[in-house]
Amino acid sequence: AQSVSQHNHHVILSEAASLELGCNYSYGGTVNLFWYVQYPGQHLQLLLKYFSGDPLVKGIKGFEAEFIKSKFSFNLRKPSVQWSDTAEYFCAVKNSGGYQKVTFGTGTKLQVIP
Amino acid sequence: NAGVTQTPKFQVLKTGQSMTLQCAQDMNHEYMSWYRQDPGMGLRLIHYSVGAGITDQGEVPNGYNVSRSTTEDFPLRLLSAAPSQTSVYFCASSSSGGAGRTNIQYFGAGTRLSVL
């Protein structure tokens, strides 16, 4: 069964600091990878996705993620965080093709201090 | 563009009561799913549907029923609520990915349920 590990449960950064959130998955086949963001009191929104092609994926609000197949990783990065990035971030993976169950990581809460 | 609509937003139940969480999407998506979100556990799949008339269990189906009589609607029923079902419930929909459409999940705003 596929699984997703997010290494950091709670991250606190000052504004303008750089961010990297770790995500590792376990599955041997072809996968689709996602990062979702959940702002306080809101629903999940897609931040970025990887299906195929360039392993460096750029998403909304200056976020990017790099798919490293050999490491089964899909880490999320942002060079300079803002207070408005305070949210919970979820990495997710699904087998490509058809309906395949999306497996979510347990989430990382990011708190950005002004 | 409504997207995925969930009702109600908040609900308080007593142990043993039943209720239905509603979910509707207007994007003509084939796939719909119900998740529950609990602190420190991420999102866990309860039930899902790959089309009208077709449903299947996810990883935590016990205590919940679903049906999919139309493409648009995917209600989640709690037959006899228990305190362990206190959670935030999210409905999601996605296309099958055919004809150039990507199968990204779109989420509703959630239903916060408390069972006393």
Side-chain angles (χ1 to χ4, degrees):
Chain A
Q2 61 196 28
S3 65
V4 179
S5 295
Q6 291 184 241
H7 315 300
N8 314 101
H9 298 292
H10 196 181
V11 173
I12 302 174
L13 294 173
S14 298
E15 273 193 316
S18 64
L19 170 72
E20 181 160 3
L21 301 182
C23 174
N24 286 90
Y25 67 94
S26 66
Y27 181 69
T30 304
V31 295
N32 299 148
L33 296 158
F34 309 85
W35 275 98
Y36 284 87
V37 60
Q38 186 178 30
Y39 297 104
Q42 296 189 25
H43 62 286
L44 278 77
Q45 302 170 46
L46 183 68
L47 205 53
L48 49 77
K49 64 187 186 298
Y50 172 81
F51 285 177
S52 64
D54 189 343
L56 184 61
V57 179
K58 294 194 184 299
I60 60 172
K61 304 186 181 186
F63 286 91
E64 65 178 32
E66 185 174 12
F67 170 52
I68 302 179
K69 189 174 181 180
S70 61
K71 295 184 178 180
F72 296 90
S73 69
F74 191 56
N75 292 354
L76 180 71
R77 299 195 292 250
K78 186 172 184 179
S80 176
V81 295
Q82 302 172 315
W83 175 79
S84 57
D85 293 324
T86 295
E88 191 160 14
Y89 293 81
F90 294 91
C91 182
V93 62
K94 69 179 281 294
N95 303 350
S96 63
Y99 182 91
Q100 301 289 344
K101 185 173 77 73
V102 179
T103 300
F104 286 83
T106 53
T108 298
K109 287 188 178 177
L110 171 65
Q111 184 179 355
V112 180
I113 301 170
Chain B
N1 215 5
V4 180
T5 303
Q6 287 183 239
T7 56
K9 286 186 169 34
F10 302 94
Q11 183 70 50
V12 179
L13 293 177
K14 294 181 180 178
T15 297
Q17 286 185 313
S18 62
M19 80 158 294
T20 299
L21 280 63
Q22 301 291 345
C23 176
Q25 54 94 7
D26 62 0
M27 297 174 280
N28 202 30
H29 285 165
E30 296 89 346
Y31 302 156
M32 296 187 76
S33 306
W34 274 103
Y35 295 88
R36 59 178 289 173
Q37 182 182 25
D38 300 292
M41 303 188 77
L43 277 79
R44 293 180 292 168
L45 183 65
I46 305 171
H47 286 285
Y48 66 96
S49 169
V50 298
I54 307 169
T55 64
D56 205 346
Q57 296 181 346
E59 55 185 306
V60 288
N62 292 341
Y64 307 95
N65 274 2
V66 292
S67 60
R68 184 99 179 269
S69 55
T70 67
T71 300
E72 294 78 19
D73 300 300
F74 191 44
L76 178 72
R77 296 185 192 83
L78 280 70
L79 306 174
S80 178
S84 61
Q85 293 178 304
T86 294
S87 187
V88 181
Y89 292 86
F90 288 99
C91 178
S93 75
S94 62
S95 78
S96 63
R101 297 196 298 169
T102 56
N103 55 356
I104 298 166
Q105 285 193 316
Y106 294 85
F107 285 83
T111 296
R112 189 173 294 275
L113 175 68
S114 293
V115 183
L116 306 177

